Amino acid sequence: MAKAIDMTKGSPAKLLVRFAVPLLIGNLFQQVYTLVDRVIVGQFVGADAFSAVGSTNALSMMFMSMCMGTAIGTGVVVSQYFGAGDEKNTAAAIANGAYINVITAVVMTAIALLAAEPVLRLLDTPQALMKDAVDYMLVYMGGLTAVSAYYTPFSILRALGDSKTPLIFLVFCSVLNIVLDLIFVVPFGMGVIGAAIATVFSQAVAAFSCMVYAFRKVPQFKEALKYARPNRVLLRQTLRMGIPAGFQYSLMYISGIVLQRVVNGFGADAIGAFTATTQMETMVQQIYSALGSAMVTYTGQNMGAGKTGRVREGMRSAMGISAVVSVFLLALFWIGGRGIMGIFVPDQNIISLAHSGIRITSLFFMALGVVQVVRFLLNGAGDSVYALLNGMVEIAARIGFAVALTAIPFIGIWGIWLTTGLTWLVTAGFALWRYRGGVWMEKSLVQAARSEAGPDGAKGKQKL
């Protein structure tokens, strides 16, 4: 096992960078194979196929959101007990988190398979794109259990302070996915179905390999087998962290679905341009997401150790790093945006729209950085109420801006990208307001468990 990082000691800035860099590399590899997936479809199947796959982004992520949420919830619980030095309950949290994640994946798979086509029709997906969009969704959502299995061990390893081991498996998954894309889509001529199969299969292989490694090499995973008995406190804590996080992501993607419906109304070129800019924005978000994911582990471990002052120090360091990155990215997209957008499709109309769109959203990258850093900090602290409230704020902002701005004649189609940027701005303001309120400092899961009948069976002195 790569050496775990104890984030309760040492320079916050150095710890965050050291932990975030492997996460960033892994996230970028993960996005590279998604990007390659789209590029291969766009270049070898056609612009309509590219747009069809892009039109499923928000919907597929909505169905995946609960799986992502429970994986995050498991990681938060594990990190806090690990930070508190509670080896027994760290191991037990891994086992109990696995139960929650498996059940969630099975339930969401069933819902996704039943709802995919009706929802795509409800969104007014153009008829020319419908067949490819439905085919892609059914295959991808059919493999949702593999996707969940992919997220869960990575989240736990990161919670234990190991961001390097997940990187190895992410790189492996990315390379495998690209190879399979080139085989299934080009010589086999399987179109969007081939791209979906390549993604699901590569994630399943990476998940299985990572879990085998973890149970053989990571002490906490080995110990988890000894504490596999369901534990009501740990199950409840995982659900308490995971369900709101899942709903937060779900609401985010529901708002994205509504925005996608607005985009669909502007035609295939707008869908293609929005798909291209969204894909690039997703790449950009990996930088902030890596920093945010480092904040989850950093915050979780320090909350478990009772060091809220160090959490504040980490917050200041993360915000400084985020500001520097934002300025660099703004310059990059204003100077070279057209060339970057041209990697997706050769269609000049789509490239022109996408170029203008990415210039608009890049103006708001600073706000996006704030959103990611503070959101993950509050998640790591155990502020589950914030997660749900943030989702509600985001859906209200995105829907409100999308409907209002695109209806203004002199804004029109540009309201699509203004909606994205202004939504980041509003949610950043809400996140900072919640952080400054200080409620997160009282959310330690370890202290809450000790105040009642704790996971080890000891009776606490008071109720939660």
Side-chain angles (χ1 to χ4, degrees):
M1 176 184 177
K3 183 176 175 59
I5 301 176
D6 180 355
M7 304 187 85
T8 63
K9 303 172 185 176
S11 165
K14 290 180 180 179
L15 287 168
L16 289 169
V17 170
R18 178 184 170 191
F19 194 83
V21 167
L23 290 178
L24 174 59
I25 296 171
N27 288 352
L28 289 176
F29 265 98
Q30 191 172 15
Q31 290 305 312
V32 162
Y33 77 66
T34 302
L35 186 149
V36 170
D37 192 69
R38 301 293 192 267
V39 169
I40 290 173
V41 169
Q43 297 291 343
F44 293 99
V45 185
D48 279 355
F50 173 81
S51 297
V53 173
S55 71
T56 69
N57 282 345
L59 182 58
S60 60
M61 292 304 295
M62 183 192 76
F63 290 127
M64 289 169 58
S65 61
M66 292 307 299
C67 298
M68 294 167 58
T70 52
I72 290 171
T74 300
V76 170
V77 177
V78 170
S79 68
Q80 291 211 14
Y81 282 106
F82 181 72
D86 189 337
E87 296 180 5
K88 177 180 177 180
N89 289 318
T90 297
I94 293 173
N96 282 267
Y99 300 141
I100 299 296
N101 282 277
V102 169
I103 293 170
T104 301
V106 171
V107 171
M108 293 310 299
T109 297
I111 295 173
L113 291 176
L114 290 171
E117 183 171 356
V119 175
L120 283 170
R121 294 192 182 282
L122 184 65
L123 293 174
D124 284 344
T125 302
Q127 194 58 41
L129 311 182
M130 180 61 72
K131 185 181 184 303
D132 280 343
V134 171
D135 287 346
Y136 187 86
M137 279 292 296
L138 291 179
V139 174
Y140 193 30
M141 293 299 96
L144 198 53
T145 301
V147 175
S148 177
Y150 175 78
Y151 283 116
T152 303
F154 293 170
S155 181
I156 294 171
L157 286 171
R158 290 166 180 168
L160 296 173
D162 178 10
S163 61
K164 293 182 180 178
T165 299
L167 170 61
I168 296 170
F169 292 101
L170 279 169
V171 172
F172 169 69
C173 176
S174 302
V175 173
L176 179 61
N177 191 90
I178 292 170
V179 171
L180 293 177
D181 266 334
L182 291 170
I183 293 172
F184 293 158
V185 176
V186 184
F188 286 9
M190 296 174 67
V192 298
I193 292 178
I197 292 173
T199 299
V200 171
F201 184 77
S202 61
Q203 289 183 334
V205 171
F208 178 76
S209 302
C210 185
M211 285 190 285
V212 169
Y213 169 86
F215 278 107
R216 287 184 176 179
K217 301 292 185 179
V218 182
Q220 290 84 358
F221 275 80
K222 294 179 181 178
E223 288 294 305
L225 297 175
K226 298 179 182 179
Y227 302 102
R229 191 176 187 178
N231 180 296
R232 66 178 182 84
V233 173
L234 291 172
L235 289 171
R236 186 170 70 245
Q237 287 184 335
T238 303
L239 287 170
R240 181 179 153 200
M241 295 298 103
I243 297 301
F247 273 116
Q248 170 184 258
Y249 286 112
S250 181
L251 289 171
M252 286 166 50
Y253 293 120
I254 288 173
S255 66
I257 289 170
V258 174
L259 179 56
Q260 183 68 57
R261 191 180 192 282
V262 173
V263 173
N264 291 351
F266 285 94
D269 283 355
I271 295 173
F274 182 69
T275 298
T277 56
T278 299
Q279 190 65 59
M280 189 50 61
E281 288 157 11
T282 301
M283 290 286 288
V284 166
Q285 286 194 51
Q286 302 319 303
I287 303 173
Y288 302 118
S289 181
L291 187 58
S293 295
M295 282 301 299
V296 167
T297 300
Y298 178 89
T299 303
Q301 288 190 14
N302 281 287
M303 288 294 289
K307 298 182 177 181
T308 56
R310 274 185 62 80
V311 176
R312 289 187 178 278
E313 291 179 36
M315 164 71 169
R316 289 192 290 270
S317 297
M319 293 295 283
I321 296 168
S322 176
V324 172
V325 169
S326 298
V327 172
F328 170 77
L329 291 172
L330 176 64
L332 175 66
F333 286 111
W334 272 75
I335 295 171
R338 176 173 289 276
I340 294 171
M341 291 298 102
I343 68 174
F344 293 100
V345 289
D347 188 298
Q348 291 302 311
N349 288 334
I350 292 178
I351 292 173
S352 294
L353 283 173
H355 177 218
S356 297
I358 199 70
R359 279 189 159 194
I360 292 171
T361 55
S362 64
L363 295 170
F364 298 90
F365 281 166
M366 190 80 74
L368 174 61
V370 173
V371 170
Q372 295 285 9
V373 169
V374 182
R375 172 187 293 161
F376 279 105
L377 182 154
L378 295 174
N379 284 342
D383 189 357
S384 57
V385 173
Y386 160 76
L388 187 56
L389 291 175
N390 179 76
M392 295 170 67
V393 169
E394 181 148 347
I395 193 172
R398 183 165 280 124
I399 293 174
F401 285 132
V403 173
L405 293 175
T406 56
I408 299 174
F410 65 87
I411 295 179
I413 192 172
W414 308 117
I416 294 169
W417 290 280
L418 279 171
T419 291
T420 297
L422 290 173
T423 299
W424 291 339
L425 189 63
V426 169
T427 50
F430 177 73
L432 286 172
W433 172 80
R434 184 72 176 183
Y435 169 78
R436 289 171 179 166
V439 175
W440 59 272
M441 291 189 288
E442 302 170 0
K443 297 293 183 178
S444 171
L445 300 176
V446 175
Q447 295 302 320
R450 288 173 179 171
S451 70
E452 64 169 344
D456 60 1
K459 187 175 181 180
K461 296 181 180 180
Q462 59 185 6
K463 295 182 180 180
L464 281 173

